[in-house]
Amino acid sequence: MFKRSKPRSYGQVATEFVYPPGGFRRSTTYLWHRLRRLPDQPHRIARGMAAGVFLSFSPLHGFHFIVAALVSLAIRGNVLAAFVGTFTGNPLTTPFIALASVGLGRTLLGLPGDMSPQVIFREFAHATAETWHNVISAFGPGPTSWSGLSEFWHEIFLPYAAGGAVLGGVAAVASYYLTIPVVRRYHRRKSLAMAKRIARVQGAPDQDRRK
């Protein structure tokens, strides 16, 4: 009854995953409204938001929400807010985050040379394929090789983690202090609206009795 009359193709699903149908601005606005309306204390929502923002600067692609949820639980934050925070790293912003994080990390670690986003994500793809190959080879006759992963670890992953920790930390602190007043303002408006509604309901019987 509620299904689409024409199911989406795999191409449409992939396209909408990369670029939402309403655009990133509409999706971001929706997520921001959902964040404000979370039924929790402002500082807990802000902690969860900060955890999600911080992890979106990490090289743990594919595990951002899982790790952000664990970090949010550890610091007594809101897990749903952490989920919203991970959307800081989306298909539009991730290339810039990766480029800035790796560049800063290589500078901090004293590694020469710069890397483009294409090289960074190509090496991530190669590392993922090599890891999967080695896992399968561990249960079969095929040979395993970790040399490529060792180079990836020192040249990209560690710099990404180091630079992302600095940039993510700054972004997380900023998101924390921006989220608290926004959520408090929304809760205050909601409380005032509820108080006015209760006052109207209580005032109605008084008017009826006077009549």
Side-chain angles (χ1 to χ4, degrees), residues 20-171:
F24 284 108
R25 182 177 181 179
R26 181 178 179 182
S27 299
T28 302
T29 302
Y30 171 76
L31 290 173
W32 188 245
H33 285 309
R34 294 296 300 172
L35 177 70
R36 294 189 307 169
R37 295 175 181 178
L38 289 175
D40 207 343
Q41 299 174 10
H43 68 275
R44 285 177 53 86
I45 295 174
R47 288 176 188 172
M49 182 69 175
V53 170
F54 179 78
L55 266 299
S56 67
F57 281 79
S58 75
L60 303 175
H61 297 292
F63 300 94
H64 282 167
F65 174 62
I66 296 175
V67 181
L70 294 175
V71 172
S72 182
L73 289 173
I75 62 177
R76 297 183 180 180
N78 186 286
V79 175
L80 292 178
F83 173 72
V84 174
T86 58
F87 278 84
T88 303
N90 55 65
L92 187 65
T93 62
T94 296
F96 298 100
I97 291 175
L99 183 63
S101 297
V102 173
L104 177 59
R106 291 180 67 84
T107 300
L108 293 174
L109 297 176
L111 299 175
D114 298 325
M115 291 188 177
S116 66
Q118 292 83 358
V119 172
I120 294 171
F121 290 113
R122 184 185 65 201
E123 293 302 320
F124 264 97
H126 288 169
T128 302
E130 187 172 343
T131 300
W132 182 244
H133 170 76
N134 289 336
V135 170
I136 295 177
S137 298
F139 299 94
T144 60
S145 175
W146 301 96
S147 59
L149 288 175
S150 177
E151 183 178 356
F152 167 78
W153 175 267
H154 292 288
E155 294 294 325
I156 296 179
F157 192 90
L158 282 181
Y160 198 144
V166 175
L167 298 177
V170 173

Side-chain angles (χ1 to χ4, degrees), residues 3-21:
K3 294 182 179 179
R4 290 173 176 263
S5 58
K6 184 179 180 181
R8 294 179 299 175
S9 65
Y10 290 111
Q12 288 176 319
V13 173
T15 301
E16 291 179 5
F17 176 78
V18 175
Y19 187 82

